[in-house]
Amino acid sequence: MKSLRALDVATAPTFEQYERAATTLDRIVATPPDPPRRFAGRRGWMLIPAVAAAVAVVLAVAPWGGDGRAYATWTPVPVPLTSAETGLVGAACRDDMRIYKDLDLDRAELVLAERRGEYVAMVYRYDNPGSEASCLVHNLPGTDDVDEVKTTASGSSGPFEKAPAGRFMEGALSVFPEGVSITEGAAGPGVAGLTIHTEGLSVQATVHNGRWVAWWPGRALVEDGNGKWRDVPRTYDVLLNDGRTIEDAQPSR
């Protein structure tokens, strides 16, 4: 009998595919962004106290609009951005992030970027003290239109911790009103890929230079009715450089 994991719609990529994606991301991150053109955004956020050093939960509570139709284009496997997309969307993200007074945008560097259908996700960070900001933006491929800009930010009192070899660490987790979640963290040496399994979805993260990010149309946190929040169950599979996959891997603490 096949396991439920074997029935996932998403087919896990090979190590070579991860390598090609990482190479493309290296080139995009290193490419100076094109001048920004047109964008518009709506913002709002609330921070929940960090549950551990350099780990924060962020609940975005502003009443953003949108009927969620664009999320139907979401794909479990991300694709890298072009340099033009990086410049266009990056400008919108950084402009919206100015609301975070404790975030030093002069130090914040783009470390992760991915596209899933009509939405682009980006992660900016810097160390000492560790600060992270995530951005989710609607951008129809091939157009200059950027809207529904959503950003969150979190940080710690010290530097970010690095994940051990072959392991990963959970970082900031954000949940938006439309029922969309985005999370990121650290990936140790030897980690080529990471897949999140939650509520019937298999979400392949973008892994690059010791960090990872993933987002999906679903709530990673739900309220229990008593004013408290609990995690929606999710598990992780880790793809190693040697081609091995560690199923149901536990995050390093």
Side-chain angles (χ1 to χ4, degrees):
M1 180 181 295
K2 293 184 177 180
S3 66
L4 292 178
R5 186 67 51 81
L7 299 180
D8 286 339
V9 175
T11 301
T14 64
F15 175 62
E16 288 73 18
Q17 289 174 318
Y18 270 113
E19 283 281 278
R20 286 197 295 272
T23 300
T24 301
L25 185 56
D26 274 329
R27 184 180 70 252
I28 296 303
V29 172
T31 302
D34 295 335
R37 282 172 277 184
R38 179 163 62 90
F39 58 84
R42 283 166 283 189
R43 59 188 70 165
W45 60 286
M46 178 176 70
L47 280 178
I48 302 300
V51 297
V55 178
V57 176
V58 183
L59 298 182
V61 296
W64 284 296
D67 55 14
R69 286 178 297 176
Y71 294 124
T73 68
W74 177 87
T75 60
V77 181
V79 297
L81 305 181
T82 66
S83 59
E85 290 172 332
T86 300
L88 179 71
V89 177
C93 287
R94 294 180 69 90
D95 183 72
D96 198 83
M97 289 173 184
R98 297 183 189 282
I99 62 174
Y100 307 115
K101 302 304 181 183
D102 293 332
L103 181 68
D104 187 349
L105 283 174
D106 291 334
R107 297 177 60 196
E109 295 182 355
L110 177 65
V111 295
L112 293 166
E114 63 168 40
R115 173 182 289 281
R116 298 177 191 263
E118 296 181 9
Y119 277 80
V120 170
M122 289 184 164
V123 176
Y124 291 80
R125 71 183 293 272
Y126 58 87
D127 220 332
N128 293 322
S131 296
E132 178 274 343
S134 298
C135 184
L136 187 62
V137 178
H138 179 247
N139 168 239
L140 189 66
T143 74
D144 297 341
D145 296 330
V146 176
D147 57 16
E148 296 183 42
V149 182
K150 304 172 179 64
T151 60
T152 61
S154 61
S156 67
S157 58
F160 281 117
E161 296 183 25
K162 294 183 179 180
R167 304 284 300 278
F168 73 98
M169 298 180 68
E170 295 176 317
L173 172 64
S174 306
V175 182
F176 295 105
E178 298 91 341
V180 178
S181 301
I182 182 170
T183 185
E184 59 84 47
V191 174
L194 186 71
T195 300
I196 302 172
H197 302 282
T198 181
E199 295 193 305
L201 296 177
S202 293
V203 190
Q204 294 174 16
T206 292
V207 180
H208 175 69
N209 197 28
R211 304 299 298 180
W212 62 269
V213 66
W215 73 274
W216 62 95
R219 294 185 181 276
L221 293 168
V222 293
E223 194 170 8
D224 64 4
N226 297 315
K228 296 182 179 180
W229 296 84
R230 62 174 178 82
D231 278 295
V232 172
R234 57 185 180 275
T235 62
Y236 298 86
D237 292 347
V238 175
L239 176 66
L240 302 178
N241 284 343
D242 61 11
R244 291 181 297 145
T245 298
I246 303 174
E247 296 188 354
D248 298 328
Q250 295 300 311
S252 180
R253 301 293 182 184

